[in-house]
Amino acid sequence: MNYKVGIVSLGCAKNQVDAEMLLFTLKQRGFIIVNDPADADCVIVNTCGFIESAKQESIDEIIELGKLKQEGTIKAIVVTGCLAQRYQNEITKQLYEVDAAIGIGANSRIADVVCDVLNDKKVEMFPDKLCLPLEGGRIQSTPPYTAYIKIAEGCDNCCTYCAIPQIRGKFRSRKPENIIKEAESLAKNGVVELNVIAQDTTRYGEDLFGEPYLAKLLQKLCKIDGLKWIRVLYCYPDRLTDELIDTIANEDKIVKYIDLPLQHCNGDVLKRMNRHGSLKELTELINKIRVKIPDVVLRTTFITGFPGETEEQFEELAQFAADMKFERLGCFAYSQEENTPAAKMPDQIDEEIKQKRADIIMEHQQSVMADYCESLIGTEIEVLVEGFDKLAECYFGRSYADSPEVDGCVFFTCKSKKPAIGEFVKVKITDYMGCDPVGETE
């Protein structure tokens, strides 16, 4: 079989891991994997369907690939991922370019689907979403020194604004021994930074052991030779236990970086979101983390304009963001997603007001980021080298404070020895540019 297949994966890192497993399945069946979709016979679009902007990005990508198909450059388009799972039979009806629309439960049958569409068959296949395999080989699509490891699938939190439980199904943890085995394999292949992901990493193990198991899993991952940085993403504030905080504080390999999507701080808004906590409780949690992990970098996300959010509740959120000085923060206007409880709530807020509120928080965040960068001047930090910027004529990489793809970079010059990609170097920070530190190394 000499058919060439390319894949375009959109959305989050969890989706990217799914794409890597799809690629492995296809390669096992004899397909030739190509990086450029224009070189492929069949292109798979692994879509995101979380919020309106993500859905639109997926649709735009399908339409662009449809132009290549119309020109005869590619023969077929297969759509999978969250958008396909969420909208199922609508995909082929609304997007005539698509030859196959399959749900995430059909991912293990991707090779058969590609064979069918290359033989001029139309395919719609939506088995139970729980058929999505938790285990299997992967073809790593990240740079060789860094990788994601997905420790669970699905979500049981049922936040009222979120369609993920409908799309991905109930929360299912992978067995720890399988995760450790995969991590060991990644480390042997040169991965030095392991990014631990799930819809809610802090729920890991509750379905297997009846109690949170993330701290114990992290302790086991820290024993793997070759790994230098272990980063934990997508933590849920209610489940950030003292055991987990202490593990992050005490294990040298775990970077002092916590991704803690809070979404809001007002107790009434959080209750309507079907989330827990209050301004007082969240402030106490942040303060406790900062005391136990003095150099911690906190990333969070907020939603503005949730149905019924008053001006006073928004001002409380803005003040909370200003007081907590999160080193990393993203703020998004509420997206009204059909078939979610929040979409049916009264007091929906005007789009312009929602966006204006998000802009206010992000504008203030620029000064917080500038202050953080200013505090680094004169210090020496460890940087994972990622490349050379020809335009800026300097190297760039990430510190422990920078998660792949979502955060910034550290730019630096070298006085003597040129560093290798994937190497760790010590960089003395001398300045900053925008929100990115700038420095030099020997």
Side-chain angles (χ1 to χ4, degrees):
M1 185 184 298
N2 294 316
Y3 287 129
K4 292 182 286 186
V5 180
I7 191 164
V8 177
S9 192
L10 305 170
C12 66
K14 299 178 287 291
N15 223 30
Q16 187 173 351
V17 172
D18 289 348
E20 292 176 347
M21 294 175 73
L22 289 171
L23 289 173
F24 180 86
T25 301
L26 290 162
K27 190 172 182 181
Q28 288 290 99
R29 282 283 293 271
F31 289 97
I32 299 166
I33 307 301
V34 296
N35 292 325
D36 187 347
D39 295 332
D41 296 303
C42 176
V43 179
I44 300 163
V45 187
N46 192 31
T47 57
C48 180
F50 179 45
I51 56 175
E52 189 59 40
S53 58
K55 289 186 280 187
Q56 192 57 53
E57 182 188 17
S58 295
I59 291 166
D60 291 344
E61 183 66 41
I62 292 165
I63 291 170
E64 285 302 308
L65 289 169
K67 293 175 184 176
L68 293 180
K69 183 183 170 187
Q70 200 169 23
E71 294 166 2
T73 306
I74 62 178
K75 295 176 182 175
I77 300 172
V78 175
V79 176
T80 184
C82 290
L83 190 76
Q85 180 66 41
R86 187 173 182 185
Y87 294 102
Q88 300 203 359
N89 299 326
E90 293 179 44
I91 297 290
T92 52
K93 289 183 178 69
Q94 300 289 334
L95 296 164
Y96 69 89
E97 303 93 337
V98 175
D99 299 283
I102 65 171
I104 60 173
N107 277 11
S108 60
R109 299 161 68 180
I110 188 66
D112 292 332
V113 172
V114 172
C115 284
D116 284 344
V117 296
L118 288 173
N119 283 296
D120 299 322
K121 294 179 183 177
K122 296 286 184 179
V123 179
E124 287 186 335
M125 189 185 297
F126 298 98
D128 191 324
K129 60 179 75 75
L130 299 182
C131 293
L132 176 72
L134 295 181
E135 309 297 340
R138 294 164 53 187
I139 294 180
Q140 190 180 330
S141 59
T142 51
Y145 52 83
T146 184
Y148 296 100
I149 190 160
K150 186 160 67 165
I151 62 172
E153 178 55 63
C155 187
D156 288 347
N157 290 330
C158 298
C159 302
T160 57
Y161 53 81
C162 183
I164 291 298
Q166 302 169 30
I167 298 169
R168 308 297 295 197
K170 66 179 183 180
F171 189 88
R172 297 179 290 150
S173 299
R174 295 177 60 196
K175 293 180 180 178
E177 57 267 29
N178 293 343
I179 297 168
I180 297 301
K181 185 177 179 181
E182 182 180 4
E184 288 172 342
S185 175
L186 289 166
K188 284 177 185 174
N189 288 327
V191 168
V192 292
E193 178 189 41
L194 191 68
N195 301 285
V196 178
I197 58 173
Q199 294 294 343
D200 174 4
T201 52
T202 42
R203 189 185 279 268
Y204 173 74
E206 287 184 7
D207 53 327
L208 297 178
F209 307 107
E211 61 182 13
Y213 198 81
L214 180 60
K216 295 178 178 63
L217 176 68
L218 291 173
Q219 290 161 15
K220 292 178 180 181
L221 288 171
C222 287
K223 295 176 182 176
I224 296 175
D225 291 338
L227 294 180
K228 183 172 172 64
W229 281 358
I230 297 172
R231 188 182 304 274
V232 187
L233 302 174
Y234 310 116
C235 297
Y236 201 77
D238 290 11
R239 297 189 182 87
L240 204 66
T241 62
D242 287 341
E243 181 191 20
L244 181 55
I245 294 171
D246 290 341
T247 298
I248 294 171
N250 297 329
E251 291 284 358
D252 290 340
K253 288 187 178 183
I254 302 178
V255 296
K256 311 315 174 198
Y257 176 110
I258 300 177
D259 176 30
L260 194 68
L262 299 178
Q263 312 309 1
H264 215 283
C265 70
N266 178 269
D268 291 337
V269 176
L270 288 167
K271 190 174 181 179
R272 291 199 303 277
M273 289 179 167
N274 195 34
R275 296 176 69 92
H276 306 284
S278 63
L279 175 65
K280 180 176 181 290
E281 290 168 343
L282 292 175
T283 301
E284 288 174 353
L285 174 63
I286 300 305
N287 290 338
K288 178 167 69 172
I289 292 169
R290 291 203 187 280
V291 167
K292 288 196 169 189
I293 315 173
D295 295 327
V296 72
V297 165
L298 292 176
R299 160 168 279 285
T300 196
T301 52
F302 292 139
I303 296 172
T304 55
F306 189 77
E309 182 192 54
T310 64
E311 189 64 36
E312 291 75 20
Q313 289 169 337
F314 164 68
E315 287 172 3
E316 185 178 299
L317 177 65
Q319 189 61 53
F320 175 69
D323 291 343
M324 294 299 100
K325 299 186 186 302
F326 295 98
E327 290 81 3
R328 305 284 184 258
L329 187 150
C331 190
F332 306 93
Y334 165 70
S335 178
Q336 188 177 6
E337 294 300 312
E338 68 268 39
N339 299 321
T340 61
K344 303 179 185 71
M345 287 181 180
D347 302 320
Q348 298 287 330
I349 294 173
D350 181 76
E351 291 294 334
E352 191 174 330
I353 294 173
K354 290 191 288 190
Q355 191 57 55
K356 183 180 178 182
R357 290 177 180 178
D359 291 343
I360 288 170
I361 287 181
M362 289 311 296
E363 283 170 18
H364 182 266
Q365 182 63 18
Q366 295 302 308
S367 65
V368 174
M369 294 282 287
D371 289 345
Y372 174 68
C373 289
E374 188 82 36
S375 74
L376 295 177
I377 294 176
T379 66
E380 191 175 65
I381 61 177
E382 192 169 39
V383 172
L384 176 57
V385 183
E386 295 204 290
F388 184 81
D389 189 321
K390 292 181 181 178
L391 193 63
E393 296 185 333
C394 64
Y395 290 90
F396 63 90
R398 289 181 292 106
S399 71
Y400 81 92
D402 306 305
S403 183
E405 300 176 51
V406 296
D407 295 324
C409 293
V410 178
F411 292 91
F412 61 96
T413 55
C414 295
K415 290 183 178 178
S416 53
K417 178 176 172 269
K418 293 181 180 179
I421 306 301
E423 179 184 350
F424 288 90
V425 297
K426 297 284 187 181
V427 176
K428 185 173 183 180
I429 303 303
T430 57
D431 202 352
Y432 62 94
M433 179 175 58
C435 295
D436 295 319
V438 175
E440 59 186 17
T441 188
E442 295 297 329

